[in-house]
Amino acid sequence: MEQAELEALVLAHYEEIYAYCWRHLGQRELAQDLTQTAFLRFWQHRDRYTHDGRELNYLYTIAGNLCKDWFKRKKPVAIDDLPESQRDPAVPPPDRDTALTVRAALAALPFEQRNTVLLYYDRGFTAPEIAAITHTTVPTVRYRLLRATRRLRELLKEELP
């Protein structure tokens, strides 16, 4: 992969990977850092990548692993604790209270379930695509979606009127 190809890849997919990281982390600068790190790792390990047209899946895998590693090292910061300058202005919630409640419910899910929910509902990947990204099986993806949606219903039932 030539540098021009990498630049085209970054231009084509930066916003998607950034949005994915931001939804996991809720912090603009951290999401930007991990997005850049994902592309850097892709570039550094391009010899391992087979050019089969799935570079976006590979980028999601790298970004998901970076987010997971960050959660292992750091305790997440509540969105209310962030100054306005760190909230992503590109994602204005239609109803702030509802958005914060849903965000808190998502944060309460285990990483694997949250990751699956974000890839499926937010990014629009299919179960087989998520299985490839997360290196699991389609039944595992479906199970995680089922468990996550049940848990989200429970959490949101308690919080939303």
Side-chain angles (χ1 to χ4, degrees), residues 76-93:
V77 177
I79 195 164
D80 282 337
D81 296 338
L82 295 174
E84 280 294 324
S85 64
Q86 285 193 338
R87 296 189 189 145
D88 192 339
V91 187

Side-chain angles (χ1 to χ4, degrees), residues 69-136:
D69 290 346
W70 184 84
F71 276 107
K72 285 180 184 177
R73 291 189 315 269
K74 303 284 185 186
K75 183 173 168 95
V77 177
I79 195 164
D80 282 337
D81 296 338
L82 295 174
E84 280 294 324
S85 64
Q86 285 193 338
R87 296 189 189 145
D88 192 339
V91 187
D95 174 356
R96 182 172 168 74
D97 291 336
T98 303
L100 291 174
T101 301
V102 170
R103 186 154 186 65
L106 273 172
L109 295 176
F111 179 84
E112 289 80 12
Q113 289 179 10
R114 182 177 58 248
N115 192 37
T116 303
V117 165
L118 289 173
L119 288 169
Y120 187 79
Y121 291 106
D122 187 54
R123 307 312 313 162
F125 284 101
T126 64
E129 290 170 330
I130 295 169
I133 290 169
T134 59
H135 305 291
T136 59

Side-chain angles (χ1 to χ4, degrees), residues 1-158:
M1 177 176 275
E2 297 293 323
Q3 185 160 349
E5 289 177 289
L6 177 66
E7 289 174 12
L9 181 72
V10 171
L11 288 173
H13 300 299
Y14 183 88
E15 291 301 319
E16 290 175 83
I17 300 300
Y18 166 75
Y20 172 71
C21 290
W22 188 87
R23 292 230 186 330
H24 267 296
L25 307 166
Q27 298 179 46
R28 183 177 39 210
E29 285 87 12
L30 182 57
Q32 289 170 340
D33 289 346
L34 291 186
T35 300
Q36 291 170 3
T37 302
F39 282 100
L40 179 63
R41 288 207 181 151
F42 181 92
W43 177 253
Q44 290 171 334
H45 300 288
R46 64 191 178 278
D47 55 322
R48 295 182 193 168
Y49 172 71
T50 56
H51 299 278
D52 58 1
R54 296 186 190 155
E55 56 270 318
L56 185 59
N57 286 4
Y58 191 46
L59 283 166
Y60 274 110
T61 299
I62 295 168
N65 288 337
L66 289 169
C67 291
K68 185 176 183 178
D69 290 346
W70 184 84
F71 276 107
K72 285 180 184 177
R73 291 189 315 269
K74 303 284 185 186
K75 183 173 168 95
V77 177
I79 195 164
D80 282 337
D81 296 338
L82 295 174
E84 280 294 324
S85 64
Q86 285 193 338
R87 296 189 189 145
D88 192 339
V91 187
D95 174 356
R96 182 172 168 74
D97 291 336
T98 303
L100 291 174
T101 301
V102 170
R103 186 154 186 65
L106 273 172
L109 295 176
F111 179 84
E112 289 80 12
Q113 289 179 10
R114 182 177 58 248
N115 192 37
T116 303
V117 165
L118 289 173
L119 288 169
Y120 187 79
Y121 291 106
D122 187 54
R123 307 312 313 162
F125 284 101
T126 64
E129 290 170 330
I130 295 169
I133 290 169
T134 59
H135 305 291
T136 59
T137 63
V138 172
T140 299
V141 169
R142 290 187 178 135
Y143 177 75
R144 287 177 180 168
L145 281 171
L146 177 68
R147 294 291 305 226
T149 53
R150 283 182 183 166
R151 182 68 181 135
L152 285 171
R153 276 192 202 110
E154 291 170 9
L155 292 168
L156 295 173
K157 188 178 190 181
E158 296 169 6

